[in-house]
Coordinates of all heavy atoms in Angstrom, one line a residue:
V59 N -5.4 -43.6 33.9 CA -4.3 -43.0 33.3 C -4.5 -42.7 31.8 O -4.2 -41.6 31.3 CB -3.0 -43.8 33.5 CG1 -1.8 -43.1 32.8 CG2 -2.7 -44.0 35.0
A60 N -5.1 -43.7 31.1 CA -5.4 -43.5 29.6 C -6.3 -42.3 29.4 O -6.0 -41.6 28.5 CB -6.0 -44.8 29.1
P61 N -7.4 -42.2 30.2 CA -8.2 -41.0 29.9 C -7.5 -39.7 30.2 O -7.7 -38.7 29.4 CB -9.4 -41.2 30.9 CG -9.5 -42.5 31.3 CD -8.0 -43.0 31.1
I62 N -6.6 -39.7 31.1 CA -5.8 -38.4 31.3 C -4.8 -38.2 30.1 O -4.7 -37.1 29.7 CB -5.0 -38.6 32.7 CG1 -6.0 -38.5 33.8 CG2 -4.0 -37.3 32.8 CD1 -5.4 -38.8 35.2
N63 N -4.2 -39.2 29.8 CA -3.3 -39.1 28.5 C -4.1 -38.6 27.3 O -3.6 -37.8 26.5 CB -2.5 -40.3 28.3 CG -1.4 -40.6 29.3 OD1 -1.0 -39.7 30.0 ND2 -1.1 -41.9 29.5
S64 N -5.2 -39.2 27.1 CA -6.1 -38.9 26.0 C -6.5 -37.3 26.1 O -6.5 -36.6 25.1 CB -7.3 -39.8 25.9 OG -8.1 -39.3 24.9
A65 N -7.0 -36.9 27.2 CA -7.3 -35.5 27.5 C -6.1 -34.6 27.3 O -6.2 -33.5 26.7 CB -7.9 -35.4 28.9
K66 N -4.9 -35.0 27.8 CA -3.7 -34.3 27.6 C -3.3 -34.1 26.2 O -3.0 -33.0 25.7 CB -2.6 -34.9 28.4 CG -1.3 -34.2 28.3 CD -0.2 -34.8 29.1 CE 1.1 -34.3 28.9 NZ 2.2 -35.1 29.6
A67 N -3.5 -35.1 25.4 CA -3.2 -35.1 24.0 C -4.3 -34.1 23.3 O -3.8 -33.4 22.3 CB -3.3 -36.4 23.4
S68 N -5.5 -34.2 23.7 CA -6.5 -33.3 23.0 C -6.2 -31.9 23.3 O -6.4 -31.0 22.5 CB -7.9 -33.7 23.5 OG -8.2 -35.1 23.1
V69 N -5.8 -31.6 24.6 CA -5.5 -30.2 25.0 C -4.3 -29.7 24.3 O -4.3 -28.6 23.8 CB -5.4 -30.0 26.5 CG1 -4.8 -28.7 26.9 CG2 -6.7 -30.3 27.2
T70 N -3.3 -30.6 24.1 CA -2.1 -30.2 23.5 C -2.4 -29.9 22.0 O -1.9 -28.9 21.4 CB -1.1 -31.4 23.6 OG1 -0.7 -31.5 25.0 CG2 0.3 -30.9 22.8
S71 N -3.1 -30.8 21.4 CA -3.5 -30.6 20.1 C -4.2 -29.3 19.8 O -4.1 -28.5 18.8 CB -4.3 -31.8 19.5 OG -4.7 -31.6 18.1
A72 N -5.1 -29.0 20.7 CA -6.0 -27.8 20.6 C -5.2 -26.6 20.7 O -5.3 -25.6 20.0 CB -7.2 -27.8 21.6
V73 N -4.3 -26.6 21.7 CA -3.3 -25.5 22.0 C -2.4 -25.2 20.7 O -2.3 -24.1 20.3 CB -2.6 -25.7 23.3 CG1 -1.4 -24.6 23.4 CG2 -3.5 -25.6 24.5
D74 N -1.9 -26.4 20.3 CA -1.0 -26.2 19.1 C -1.8 -25.6 17.9 O -1.2 -24.8 17.2 CB -0.4 -27.6 18.7 CG 0.6 -28.1 19.6 OD1 1.1 -27.3 20.4 OD2 1.0 -29.3 19.5
S75 N -3.0 -26.1 17.7 CA -3.8 -25.6 16.6 C -4.1 -24.1 16.7 O -4.1 -23.3 15.8 CB -5.1 -26.4 16.5 OG -5.8 -25.9 15.5
S76 N -4.5 -23.7 18.0 CA -4.8 -22.4 18.3 C -3.5 -21.4 18.1 O -3.6 -20.4 17.6 CB -5.3 -22.2 19.7 OG -6.5 -22.9 19.8
V77 N -2.4 -22.0 18.6 CA -1.2 -21.2 18.4 C -0.8 -21.0 17.0 O -0.5 -19.8 16.5 CB 0.0 -21.8 19.3 CG1 1.4 -21.2 18.8 CG2 -0.2 -21.7 20.7
K78 N -1.0 -22.1 16.1 CA -0.6 -22.0 14.8 C -1.6 -21.0 14.0 O -1.1 -20.2 13.2 CB -0.7 -23.4 14.1 CG -0.3 -23.3 12.6 CD -0.4 -24.6 12.0 CE 0.0 -24.6 10.4 NZ -0.1 -23.3 9.7
S79 N -2.8 -21.1 14.4 CA -3.9 -20.2 13.8 C -3.6 -18.7 14.2 O -3.6 -17.9 13.3 CB -5.3 -20.6 14.3 OG -6.2 -19.6 13.8
A80 N -3.2 -18.5 15.4 CA -2.9 -17.2 15.9 C -1.6 -16.6 15.2 O -1.5 -15.4 14.7 CB -2.7 -17.1 17.4
T81 N -0.6 -17.5 15.1 CA 0.6 -17.2 14.5 C 0.4 -16.8 12.9 O 0.9 -15.8 12.5 CB 1.7 -18.3 14.6 OG1 1.9 -18.6 15.9 CG2 3.0 -18.0 13.9
D82 N -0.4 -17.6 12.3 CA -0.7 -17.3 10.9 C -1.4 -16.0 10.7 O -1.2 -15.2 9.8 CB -1.6 -18.5 10.3 CG -0.7 -19.7 10.1 OD1 0.6 -19.7 10.2 OD2 -1.4 -20.8 9.9
S83 N -2.3 -15.8 11.6 CA -3.1 -14.5 11.6 C -2.2 -13.3 11.8 O -2.3 -12.4 11.1 CB -4.2 -14.5 12.6 OG -5.2 -15.4 12.3
V84 N -1.3 -13.4 12.8 CA -0.3 -12.3 13.0 C 0.6 -12.1 11.8 O 0.8 -11.0 11.3 CB 0.5 -12.5 14.3 CG1 1.7 -11.6 14.4 CG2 -0.4 -12.5 15.5
S85 N 1.1 -13.2 11.3 CA 2.0 -13.1 10.1 C 1.2 -12.5 8.8 O 1.8 -11.7 8.2 CB 2.3 -14.6 9.7 OG 3.2 -14.5 8.6
N86 N 0.0 -12.9 8.7 CA -0.8 -12.3 7.5 C -1.0 -10.8 7.7 O -1.0 -10.0 6.9 CB -2.1 -13.0 7.4 CG -1.9 -14.4 6.9 OD1 -0.8 -14.8 6.2 ND2 -2.9 -15.3 7.0
A87 N -1.3 -10.5 9.1 CA -1.6 -9.2 9.4 C -0.3 -8.3 9.1 O -0.3 -7.1 8.6 CB -2.1 -8.9 10.8
V88 N 0.8 -8.8 9.6 CA 2.1 -8.1 9.3 C 2.4 -7.9 7.9 O 2.8 -6.8 7.4 CB 3.2 -8.8 10.1 CG1 4.7 -8.3 9.7 CG2 3.1 -8.7 11.5
D89 N 2.1 -8.9 7.1 CA 2.3 -8.9 5.7 C 1.5 -7.8 5.1 O 1.9 -7.1 4.2 CB 2.2 -10.2 5.0 CG 3.3 -11.2 5.2 OD1 4.4 -10.8 5.6 OD2 3.1 -12.4 4.9
A90 N 0.2 -7.9 5.4 CA -0.8 -6.9 4.8 C -0.6 -5.4 5.2 O -0.7 -4.5 4.4 CB -2.1 -7.4 5.1
N91 N -0.2 -5.3 6.6 CA -0.3 -3.9 7.1 C 1.2 -3.3 7.2 O 1.2 -2.1 7.4 CB -0.9 -3.9 8.5 CG -2.5 -4.4 8.3 OD1 -3.2 -3.7 7.6 ND2 -2.7 -5.3 9.0
I92 N 2.2 -4.1 7.1 CA 3.5 -3.6 7.3 C 4.4 -3.9 6.1 O 4.9 -3.0 5.4 CB 4.2 -4.1 8.6 CG1 3.4 -3.6 9.8 CG2 5.7 -3.7 8.7 CD1 3.9 -4.2 11.1
V93 N 4.6 -5.2 5.7 CA 5.5 -5.5 4.7 C 5.0 -5.0 3.3 O 5.8 -4.4 2.6 CB 5.7 -7.0 4.7 CG1 6.5 -7.5 3.5 CG2 6.3 -7.5 6.0
S94 N 3.8 -5.2 3.0 CA 3.2 -4.8 1.6 C 3.4 -3.4 1.5 O 3.9 -2.9 0.5 CB 1.9 -5.4 1.5 OG 1.3 -5.0 0.2
P95 N 2.9 -2.5 2.4 CA 3.0 -1.1 2.3 C 4.5 -0.6 2.1 O 4.8 0.3 1.4 CB 2.4 -0.4 3.5 CG 1.4 -1.4 4.0 CD 2.1 -2.8 3.7
I96 N 5.4 -1.2 3.0 CA 6.8 -0.9 2.8 C 7.3 -1.2 1.4 O 8.1 -0.4 0.8 CB 7.7 -1.6 3.9 CG1 7.3 -0.9 5.2 CG2 9.1 -1.5 3.6 CD1 7.9 -1.6 6.4
N97 N 6.9 -2.4 0.8 CA 7.4 -2.8 -0.4 C 6.9 -1.8 -1.5 O 7.5 -1.5 -2.4 CB 7.1 -4.2 -0.8 CG 7.8 -5.2 0.1 OD1 8.9 -5.0 0.5 ND2 7.3 -6.5 0.2
T98 N 5.6 -1.5 -1.4 CA 5.0 -0.5 -2.4 C 5.7 0.8 -2.3 O 6.0 1.4 -3.3 CB 3.5 -0.3 -2.0 OG1 2.8 -1.6 -2.1 CG2 2.8 0.6 -2.9
A99 N 6.0 1.3 -1.0 CA 6.7 2.6 -0.9 C 8.1 2.5 -1.5 O 8.5 3.4 -2.2 CB 6.8 3.0 0.5
R100 N 8.8 1.4 -1.3 CA 10.1 1.2 -1.8 C 10.0 1.2 -3.3 O 10.9 1.9 -4.0 CB 10.7 -0.2 -1.3 CG 12.1 -0.3 -1.8 CD 12.5 -1.8 -1.7 NE 11.7 -2.7 -2.4 CZ 11.4 -3.9 -2.1 NH1 11.7 -4.4 -1.0 NH2 10.6 -4.5 -2.8
D101 N 9.1 0.5 -3.9 CA 9.0 0.4 -5.4 C 8.7 1.8 -5.9 O 9.2 2.2 -7.0 CB 7.9 -0.6 -5.8 CG 8.3 -2.0 -5.4 OD1 9.5 -2.3 -5.2 OD2 7.3 -2.9 -5.6
N102 N 7.8 2.6 -5.2 CA 7.5 4.0 -5.6 C 8.6 4.8 -5.7 O 8.9 5.7 -6.6 CB 6.3 4.5 -4.8 CG 5.0 3.8 -5.1 OD1 4.8 3.1 -6.1 ND2 4.0 4.0 -4.2
M103 N 9.5 4.8 -4.5 CA 10.6 5.6 -4.4 C 11.7 5.2 -5.5 O 12.3 6.1 -6.1 CB 11.3 5.4 -3.1 CG 10.5 6.2 -2.0 SD 11.3 6.2 -0.3 CE 12.0 4.6 -0.1
A104 N 11.8 3.9 -5.7 CA 12.8 3.5 -6.8 C 12.3 4.1 -8.1 O 13.2 4.5 -8.9 CB 12.9 1.9 -6.8
G105 N 11.0 4.0 -8.4 CA 10.6 4.6 -9.8 C 10.9 6.1 -9.7 O 11.3 6.6 -10.8
A106 N 10.6 6.8 -8.7 CA 10.8 8.2 -8.7 C 12.3 8.5 -8.9 O 12.6 9.5 -9.6 CB 10.2 8.8 -7.4
I107 N 13.1 7.8 -8.2 CA 14.6 8.0 -8.3 C 15.0 7.8 -9.7 O 15.8 8.5 -10.3 CB 15.3 7.2 -7.3 CG1 15.2 7.6 -5.9 CG2 16.7 7.1 -7.6 CD1 15.6 6.8 -4.7
D108 N 14.6 6.7 -10.3 CA 14.9 6.3 -11.6 C 14.6 7.4 -12.6 O 15.3 7.9 -13.5 CB 14.3 4.9 -12.2 CG 15.0 3.8 -11.5 OD1 16.2 4.0 -11.0 OD2 14.4 2.7 -11.5
S109 N 13.3 7.9 -12.4 CA 12.9 9.0 -13.3 C 13.6 10.3 -13.1 O 13.9 11.0 -14.1 CB 11.3 9.3 -12.9 OG 10.8 10.3 -13.7
S110 N 14.0 10.6 -11.9 CA 14.7 11.8 -11.6 C 16.1 11.7 -12.2 O 16.6 12.6 -12.8 CB 14.9 12.0 -10.0 OG 15.7 13.1 -9.8
I111 N 16.7 10.5 -12.1 CA 18.1 10.4 -12.7 C 18.0 10.4 -14.3 O 18.8 11.1 -14.9 CB 18.7 8.9 -12.3 CG1 19.0 9.0 -10.8 CG2 19.8 8.6 -13.1 CD1 19.4 7.7 -10.2
S112 N 16.9 9.8 -14.8 CA 16.8 9.9 -16.2 C 16.6 11.3 -16.7 O 17.2 11.8 -17.7 CB 15.6 9.1 -16.7 OG 15.4 9.2 -18.0
G113 N 15.8 12.1 -15.9 CA 15.7 13.6 -16.3 C 16.9 14.3 -16.1 O 17.3 15.2 -17.0
A114 N 17.7 14.1 -15.1 CA 18.9 14.8 -14.8 C 20.0 14.5 -16.0 O 20.6 15.3 -16.4 CB 19.5 14.4 -13.5
K115 N 20.1 13.2 -16.3 CA 20.9 12.8 -17.4 C 20.6 13.5 -18.7 O 21.4 14.0 -19.4 CB 21.0 11.2 -17.6 CG 21.6 10.6 -16.6 CD 22.0 9.1 -16.9 CE 20.9 8.2 -17.6 NZ 21.2 6.8 -17.7
S116 N 19.3 13.5 -19.1 CA 18.8 14.2 -20.2 C 19.1 15.7 -20.3 O 19.6 16.2 -21.2 CB 17.4 14.0 -20.4 OG 16.8 14.6 -21.6
S117 N 18.9 16.3 -19.1 CA 19.3 17.7 -18.9 C 20.8 17.9 -19.1 O 21.2 18.9 -19.8 CB 18.8 18.3 -17.6 OG 17.5 18.2 -17.5
V118 N 21.6 17.2 -18.5 CA 23.1 17.3 -18.7 C 23.4 17.1 -20.1 O 24.2 17.9 -20.7 CB 23.8 16.3 -17.7 CG1 25.3 16.2 -18.1 CG2 23.6 16.7 -16.3
L119 N 22.9 16.0 -20.7 CA 23.3 15.8 -22.1 C 22.8 16.9 -23.0 O 23.6 17.3 -23.9 CB 22.7 14.5 -22.6 CG 23.3 13.2 -22.0 CD1 22.5 12.0 -22.4 CD2 24.8 13.1 -22.4
N120 N 21.6 17.5 -22.7 CA 21.2 18.6 -23.6 C 22.1 19.8 -23.4 O 22.4 20.5 -24.3 CB 19.7 18.9 -23.3 CG 18.8 18.0 -23.8 OD1 19.0 17.2 -24.7 ND2 17.6 17.8 -23.2
A121 N 22.5 20.1 -22.2 CA 23.4 21.3 -21.9 C 24.7 21.0 -22.4 O 25.3 22.0 -23.1 CB 23.5 21.4 -20.3
V122 N 25.3 19.9 -22.5 CA 26.6 19.6 -23.0 C 26.4 19.8 -24.6 O 27.4 20.4 -25.2 CB 27.1 18.2 -22.7 CG1 28.3 17.7 -23.6 CG2 27.4 18.1 -21.2
D123 N 25.4 19.2 -25.2 CA 25.2 19.3 -26.6 C 25.1 20.8 -27.0 O 25.7 21.2 -28.0 CB 23.9 18.6 -27.0 CG 23.7 18.3 -28.5 OD1 24.8 18.1 -29.1 OD2 22.7 18.6 -28.9
A124 N 24.3 21.6 -26.3 CA 24.2 22.9 -26.6 C 25.5 23.7 -26.5 O 25.9 24.6 -27.3 CB 23.2 23.6 -25.7
G125 N 26.3 23.4 -25.4 CA 27.6 24.0 -25.3 C 28.6 23.6 -26.4 O 29.2 24.5 -26.9
V126 N 28.6 22.4 -26.8 CA 29.5 22.0 -27.9 C 29.1 22.6 -29.2 O 29.9 23.1 -29.9 CB 29.5 20.4 -28.0 CG1 30.1 19.9 -29.3 CG2 30.1 19.7 -26.8
N127 N 27.7 22.7 -29.4 CA 27.2 23.3 -30.7 C 27.7 24.9 -30.7 O 28.1 25.3 -31.7 CB 25.7 23.2 -30.8 CG 25.4 21.7 -31.3 OD1 26.1 21.1 -31.8 ND2 24.1 21.4 -31.0
S128 N 27.6 25.5 -29.5 CA 27.9 26.8 -29.4 C 29.4 27.0 -29.7 O 29.8 27.9 -30.4 CB 27.5 27.4 -28.1 OG 28.0 28.8 -27.9
A129 N 30.2 26.2 -29.1 CA 31.6 26.2 -29.2 C 32.0 26.0 -30.7 O 32.9 26.7 -31.3 CB 32.4 25.2 -28.4
M130 N 31.4 25.0 -31.4 CA 31.7 24.7 -32.7 C 31.3 25.9 -33.6 O 32.1 26.2 -34.6 CB 31.0 23.4 -33.1 CG 31.5 22.2 -32.5 SD 33.3 21.8 -32.7 CE 33.3 21.6 -34.4
S131 N 30.3 26.5 -33.3 CA 29.8 27.7 -34.1 C 30.9 28.8 -34.0 O 31.2 29.5 -35.0 CB 28.4 28.2 -33.6 OG 28.1 29.3 -34.3
T132 N 31.3 29.0 -32.8 CA 32.3 30.0 -32.5 C 33.6 29.7 -33.3 O 34.3 30.5 -34.0 CB 32.7 30.2 -31.0 OG1 31.4 30.5 -30.4 CG2 33.7 31.2 -30.8
V133 N 34.0 28.5 -33.2 CA 35.2 28.0 -33.9 C 35.1 28.1 -35.4 O 36.0 28.6 -36.1 CB 35.6 26.5 -33.6 CG1 36.7 26.0 -34.5 CG2 36.1 26.5 -32.1
D134 N 33.9 27.7 -35.9 CA 33.6 27.8 -37.4 C 33.8 29.3 -37.8 O 34.3 29.6 -38.8 CB 32.3 27.2 -37.6 CG 31.9 27.3 -39.1 OD1 32.7 26.7 -39.9 OD2 30.9 27.8 -39.5
G135 N 33.2 30.2 -37.0 CA 33.2 31.6 -37.4 C 34.7 32.1 -37.3 O 35.1 32.8 -38.3
A136 N 35.4 31.8 -36.4 CA 36.8 32.2 -36.3 C 37.6 31.6 -37.5 O 38.5 32.3 -38.1 CB 37.4 31.6 -35.0
M137 N 37.4 30.3 -37.8 CA 38.1 29.7 -39.0 C 37.8 30.5 -40.2 O 38.6 30.7 -41.1 CB 37.7 28.3 -39.0 CG 38.2 27.3 -38.0 SD 40.0 27.3 -37.9 CE 40.4 26.5 -39.4
K138 N 36.6 30.9 -40.4 CA 36.1 31.6 -41.7 C 36.8 33.0 -41.6 O 37.3 33.4 -42.7 CB 34.6 31.8 -41.7 CG 33.9 30.5 -42.0 CD 32.4 30.8 -42.0 CE 31.6 29.5 -42.4 NZ 30.2 29.5 -42.3
D139 N 36.9 33.6 -40.5 CA 37.6 34.9 -40.4 C 39.1 34.7 -40.7 O 39.6 35.6 -41.4 CB 37.5 35.5 -39.0 CG 36.1 36.0 -38.6 OD1 35.2 36.1 -39.6 OD2 35.8 36.3 -37.5
V140 N 39.7 33.7 -40.2 CA 41.2 33.5 -40.5 C 41.3 33.2 -41.9 O 42.2 33.7 -42.6 CB 41.6 32.3 -39.6 CG1 43.0 31.8 -40.1 CG2 41.7 32.7 -38.1
T141 N 40.4 32.3 -42.5 CA 40.5 32.0 -43.9 C 40.5 33.3 -44.8 O 41.2 33.4 -45.7 CB 39.5 31.0 -44.3 OG1 39.7 29.8 -43.5 CG2 39.6 30.6 -45.7
K142 N 39.5 34.1 -44.4 CA 39.3 35.3 -45.2 C 40.5 36.2 -45.1 O 41.0 36.7 -46.1 CB 38.1 36.0 -44.8 CG 37.7 37.3 -45.6 CD 36.4 37.9 -45.2 CE 36.1 39.1 -46.0 NZ 37.1 39.9 -46.7
S143 N 41.0 36.4 -43.9 CA 42.2 37.2 -43.7 C 43.4 36.7 -44.5 O 44.1 37.5 -45.1 CB 42.6 37.3 -42.2 OG 41.6 38.0 -41.5
V144 N 43.6 35.4 -44.4 CA 44.7 34.8 -45.2 C 44.5 34.9 -46.6 O 45.4 35.3 -47.4 CB 44.9 33.3 -44.8 CG1 45.9 32.6 -45.8 CG2 45.3 33.2 -43.3
S145 N 43.3 34.7 -47.1 CA 42.9 34.8 -48.5 C 43.2 36.2 -49.0 O 43.6 36.5 -50.0 CB 41.5 34.3 -48.7 OG 41.1 34.6 -50.1
D146 N 42.6 37.2 -48.2 CA 42.9 38.6 -48.5 C 44.3 39.0 -48.6 O 44.8 39.7 -49.5 CB 42.1 39.4 -47.6 CG 40.6 39.5 -47.7 OD1 40.1 38.9 -48.8 OD2 39.9 40.0 -46.8
G147 N 45.2 38.4 -47.6 CA 46.5 38.7 -47.7 C 47.3 38.1 -48.9 O 48.2 38.8 -49.5
V148 N 46.9 36.9 -49.2 CA 47.5 36.3 -50.4 C 47.1 37.0 -51.6 O 48.0 37.3 -52.5 CB 47.1 34.8 -50.4 CG1 47.5 34.1 -51.8 CG2 47.7 34.0 -49.3
K149 N 45.9 37.4 -51.7 CA 45.4 38.2 -52.9 C 46.2 39.5 -52.9 O 46.6 39.9 -54.1 CB 43.9 38.5 -52.7 CG 43.3 39.2 -53.8 CD 41.9 39.4 -53.7 CE 41.4 40.2 -54.8 NZ 40.1 40.9 -54.7
G150 N 46.3 40.1 -51.7 CA 47.1 41.4 -51.8 C 48.5 41.3 -52.2 O 49.0 42.1 -52.9
V151 N 49.2 40.1 -51.8 CA 50.5 39.9 -52.2 C 50.6 39.6 -53.7 O 51.4 40.2 -54.5 CB 51.1 38.7 -51.5 CG1 52.4 38.2 -52.1 CG2 51.3 39.1 -50.0
V152 N 49.6 38.9 -54.2 CA 49.5 38.5 -55.6 C 49.3 39.8 -56.5 O 49.9 39.9 -57.5 CB 48.5 37.5 -55.9 CG1 48.3 37.2 -57.4 CG2 48.9 36.2 -55.3
D153 N 48.4 40.5 -56.1 CA 48.1 41.8 -57.0 C 48.9 42.9 -56.6 O 48.6 44.0 -57.2 CB 46.6 42.0 -57.0 CG 45.9 42.4 -55.8 OD1 46.6 42.8 -54.8 OD2 44.7 42.4 -55.6
G154 N 49.7 42.9 -55.6 CA 50.6 44.0 -55.3 C 49.9 45.1 -54.4 O 50.5 46.2 -54.2
T155 N 48.8 44.8 -53.9 CA 48.1 45.8 -52.9 C 48.3 45.4 -51.5 O 47.8 46.2 -50.6 CB 46.7 45.8 -53.2 OG1 46.1 44.5 -52.9 CG2 46.4 46.2 -54.7
S156 N 49.2 44.5 -51.1 CA 49.4 44.1 -49.6 C 50.3 45.3 -49.1 O 51.1 45.9 -49.6 CB 50.2 42.8 -49.6 OG 50.6 42.6 -48.2
T157 N 49.8 45.5 -47.8 CA 50.5 46.6 -46.9 C 51.4 45.9 -45.9 O 52.0 46.7 -45.2 CB 49.5 47.5 -46.2 OG1 48.7 46.6 -45.4 CG2 48.6 48.2 -47.3
Q158 N 51.6 44.7 -46.0 CA 52.4 43.9 -45.0 C 53.8 43.8 -45.5 O 54.1 43.6 -46.7 CB 51.8 42.6 -44.6 CG 50.5 42.8 -44.0 CD 49.9 41.4 -43.7 OE1 50.5 40.4 -43.9 NE2 48.7 41.5 -43.2

């Protein structure tokens, strides 16, 4: 009985060792061939998305800035026109040449 138990223990140990080795090999292969490429692709996509968002934000900010500058220029021109008209009107009243 002792030799059978010893042989059984040896076979069990050999099978356990083989199963662990096979499991480790499969796990390493999955990591190298599936998990790692997926992580790399995910990181690349995240970088591309971040870059795209940054570019879009910059474009929007530049467009808003240009629009505000244009509007301010228009307002500035209108204010100068109004100021000149008021100034001319006051001058006309003061010197008696006003037609209003």
Side-chain angles (χ1 to χ4, degrees):
V59 175
I62 292 174
N63 286 339
S64 177
K66 181 179 172 186
S68 292
V69 168
T70 300
S71 176
V73 168
D74 287 347
S75 178
S76 293
V77 168
K78 181 177 180 344
S79 177
T81 301
D82 288 347
S83 293
V84 169
S85 179
N86 290 337
V88 167
D89 283 345
N91 296 306
I92 297 172
V93 175
S94 182
I96 288 173
N97 287 339
T98 299
R100 182 195 63 216
D101 293 345
N102 290 341
M103 286 190 315
I107 289 169
D108 287 346
S109 179
S110 177
I111 289 171
S112 177
K115 286 191 328 189
S116 179
S117 294
V118 168
L119 290 175
N120 288 339
V122 168
D123 192 43
V126 168
N127 285 336
S128 176
M130 291 303 293
S131 178
T132 301
V133 168
D134 186 54
M137 291 296 293
K138 286 178 181 175
D139 290 346
V140 167
T141 301
K142 183 174 180 338
S143 293
V144 169
S145 176
D146 289 349
V148 168
K149 183 179 176 205
V151 168
V152 169
D153 66 13
T155 60
S156 175
T157 59
Q158 297 178 3

